[in-house]
Amino acid sequence: MSTVYESLYIGGEWVSPSSSRTIEVVSASTEEVIGRAPEAVERDVDAAVAAARAAFDDPSGWAMWAPADRAAVMERLADELDARAPEMARRVASQNGMPISIAAQLEGVFPQVLLRYYAGLIRSTELDEVRDGLMGGRIRVTRKPIGVVAGIVPWNYPQTLAAFKLGPALAMGCTIVLKPSPETVLDAQLFAEAAAAAGLPAGVVNIVQGGRDTGQYLIEHPQVDKVAFTGSTAAGRTVAETCARLLRPVTLELGGKSAAIVLDDADLASNLESLFGATLLNNGQTCYLGTRILAPSSRYAEVVDTLTGFARSLQVGDALDERTQIGPVASSRQRDRIEGYIAKGAGEGARITTGGGRPAGLDRGWFVEPTVFADVDNRHTIAQEEIFGPVLSVISYADVDDAVRIANESDFGLGGSVWTSDPERGEAVAARVQTGTIGINAYLPDPAAPFGGVKQSGLGRELGPEGLVAYQALKSIYLAP
């Protein structure tokens, strides 16, 4: 069944697009057309930003509401998304190949968790304080909403990563224009339906789906006050250059090539479910995954065998099948990219222990076998560049110092994990890894903790109270003695 939309959600209404251009949505599992939506062009972006600007500048509008009143609307939005959760998960899984069992939680539930978290946080956050100065007077520090936000959202976790931006922005009183990826527009339209049903004031949330040109136009728009971007490092660098030229605040959550450090006392066999979540979640299409597995030389063959057997055991299939653990990747272009890296890994001397091709019996859909490489040198291309698919590289290390060195010899620093029977030892190792986030015997971002990267993995932080700060404009008022 095809889902067709003819309108864009701008200014609290469903409006006709400015052109006849459309985005055709294709199932990652079947390669069949499953929907269509309008593609926003520059005039549509202008209208969306104007609506957001008017809503923000309204003297009695969203930015001026009491935090508790904004929180109540956010909670209504979460309720409306709850009512649509099964359909939201189905749409995401159909579009980008995320297994439905994962989509049901991360795309069907987690966005509401974030909305409710920030609704609760804004109720208890002090936005106005007076402190003693050092020059004889006092200082009033106020925290106001930063303004109109451009939110650029990728296709791998479209609703969760939109909520990373929506939660703190709405809580602070900002208005937002979201630009979903063209690969995932049907879920964005369903979100718009929820926003309309929740009674968000006109212009507070606007959605303009489109490609790179649409996003670039939105980022450069003169009426935008802040940019929040999640995507590749290459695209993020372009966004950063634009925002630097415009002196526009920007949050960048970019790529990763994280290390999963297996210490010599680790019991991987008892932690395979957690290991899956830290290394192969969403078909490997997750920025923080530890796709470099660092194994001690004394146990290297054992670790390779364990990972090889585990990868072979994974159920590959249609994303809408509840039994599926590895679904298709999001597009034929993405599959071509992954297959290119697999060929390069083999060409540089790494050894494929399982996978490396397309699974038998799945003639339609963009499937790639879960693939494990052994005998990988950290200088190999597959160890240094983000593949964004179900491909793991196992690298040998001599001792803990060597493991930390290898983990840090990367242009990225977003996630990571340490696997050990001694959590205190694991935490000591984790403290030495140059990364924005890291887990011990598991990895899953928590709404209460700041999330983001170092080096080429990004700038700024999302989630936690720190995520709220990114949407604040601070002003100091000096009060005479």
Side-chain angles (χ1 to χ4, degrees):
M1 183 176 67
S2 182
T3 303
V4 177
Y5 287 91
E6 304 289 350
S7 305
L8 296 166
Y9 185 70
I10 295 174
E13 298 179 347
W14 293 98
V15 301
S16 297
S18 298
S19 79
S20 59
R21 292 166 58 174
T22 61
I23 297 170
E24 191 173 74
V25 183
V26 178
S27 164
S29 294
T30 68
E31 303 182 45
E32 296 173 344
V33 175
I34 57 173
R36 188 178 69 246
E39 180 178 357
V41 297
E42 290 183 359
R43 282 200 296 170
D44 300 312
V45 174
D46 289 338
V49 174
R53 183 85 263 163
F56 183 79
D57 291 341
D58 184 344
S60 60
W62 183 250
M64 305 305 294
W65 284 25
D69 293 336
R70 291 198 298 267
V73 174
M74 293 173 65
E75 288 165 345
R76 287 207 304 271
L77 175 57
D79 292 342
E80 292 293 341
L81 289 170
D82 281 343
R84 294 164 174 79
E87 175 63 11
M88 186 68 79
R90 188 190 69 80
R91 291 192 185 191
V92 171
S94 297
Q95 293 171 113
N96 71 3
M98 181 186 296
I100 189 69
S101 60
I102 297 170
Q105 293 300 313
L106 295 184
E107 294 292 281
V109 173
F110 196 69
Q112 294 90 287
V113 172
L114 283 176
L115 288 169
R116 293 183 176 114
Y117 168 73
Y118 279 107
L121 188 63
I122 199 62
R123 287 190 174 102
S124 60
T125 298
E126 181 59 60
L127 299 175
D128 192 333
E129 66 167 298
V130 176
R131 63 180 69 158
D132 292 330
L134 301 180
M135 308 301 290
R138 293 177 302 150
I139 307 161
R140 180 180 299 278
V141 179
T142 63
R143 294 167 175 83
K144 302 293 186 183
I146 200 167
V148 175
V149 175
I152 313 297
V153 183
W155 48 258
N156 59 328
Y157 292 91
Q159 287 302 304
T160 288
L161 293 173
F164 274 34
K165 296 148 186 58
L166 283 161
L170 295 182
M172 268 308 302
C174 298
T175 58
I176 190 165
V177 179
L178 285 175
K179 202 289 290 183
S181 169
E183 285 84 2
T184 46
V185 297
L186 300 182
D187 58 291
Q189 298 292 80
L190 186 62
F191 173 85
E193 293 174 9
L200 264 72
V204 170
V205 174
N206 311 270
I207 300 176
V208 287
Q209 56 264 11
R212 185 171 299 177
D213 291 345
T214 302
Q216 187 66 23
Y217 186 75
L218 173 60
I219 289 164
E220 294 180 341
H221 202 285
Q223 294 299 309
V224 165
D225 299 304
K226 176 192 167 59
V227 175
F229 174 88
T230 301
S232 71
T233 293
R237 188 175 287 111
T238 300
V239 174
E241 290 170 351
T242 299
C243 290
R245 174 170 50 83
L246 298 171
L247 297 179
R248 181 163 295 167
V250 61
T251 302
L252 300 171
E253 195 269 282
L254 308 177
K257 193 67 184 181
S258 303
I261 302 175
V262 180
L263 296 184
D264 54 12
D265 62 349
D267 180 8
L268 285 187
S270 299
N271 283 291
L272 289 178
E273 184 175 348
S274 295
L275 186 68
F276 175 81
T279 61
L280 286 168
L281 187 70
N282 192 20
N283 317 325
Q285 298 175 142
T286 306
C287 50
Y288 59 71
L289 291 180
T291 54
R292 289 185 297 150
I293 313 294
L294 276 51
S297 56
S298 61
R299 297 183 58 190
Y300 186 78
E302 174 198 344
V303 171
V304 168
D305 287 346
T306 297
L307 291 171
T308 299
F310 177 59
R312 284 177 181 159
S313 74
L314 295 173
Q315 180 74 36
V316 181
D318 191 305
L320 295 180
D321 187 333
E322 291 282 354
R323 299 168 298 176
T324 293
Q325 295 167 288
I326 298 289
V329 297
S331 66
S332 59
R333 181 179 66 253
Q334 185 65 13
R335 182 174 63 180
D336 290 345
R337 169 187 167 87
I338 295 164
E339 290 177 336
Y341 275 110
I342 291 172
K344 185 167 289 189
E348 291 182 352
R351 174 170 55 92
I352 296 174
T353 65
T354 189
R358 300 180 183 181
L362 293 171
D363 298 327
R364 293 194 305 168
W366 299 304
F367 292 93
V368 178
E369 290 178 314
T371 301
V372 176
F373 276 100
D375 304 334
V376 179
D377 188 291
N378 196 51
R379 293 167 294 186
H380 285 168
T381 302
I382 58 171
Q384 288 296 314
E385 296 184 11
E386 186 174 40
I387 298 173
F388 227 59
V391 181
L392 303 179
S393 298
V394 191
I395 302 168
S396 176
Y397 69 83
D399 54 25
V400 170
D401 289 344
D402 193 37
V404 171
R405 175 190 64 79
I406 293 170
N408 291 338
E409 285 184 351
S410 172
D411 290 334
F412 301 100
L414 182 59
S417 55
V418 181
W419 302 84
T420 176
S421 297
D422 183 348
E424 288 187 10
R425 182 187 180 207
E427 193 168 348
V429 173
R432 300 172 61 190
V433 179
Q434 297 166 359
T435 186
T437 65
I438 193 165
I440 310 299
N441 294 325
Y443 183 100
L444 185 66
D446 191 293
F451 177 79
V454 299
K455 298 189 276 190
Q456 292 188 26
S457 287
L459 297 171
R461 294 294 182 266
E462 296 183 301
L463 303 184
E466 294 80 5
L468 195 65
V469 173
Y471 295 88
Q472 295 175 352
L474 277 72
K475 178 185 286 186
S476 296
I477 303 173
Y478 307 119
L479 305 174

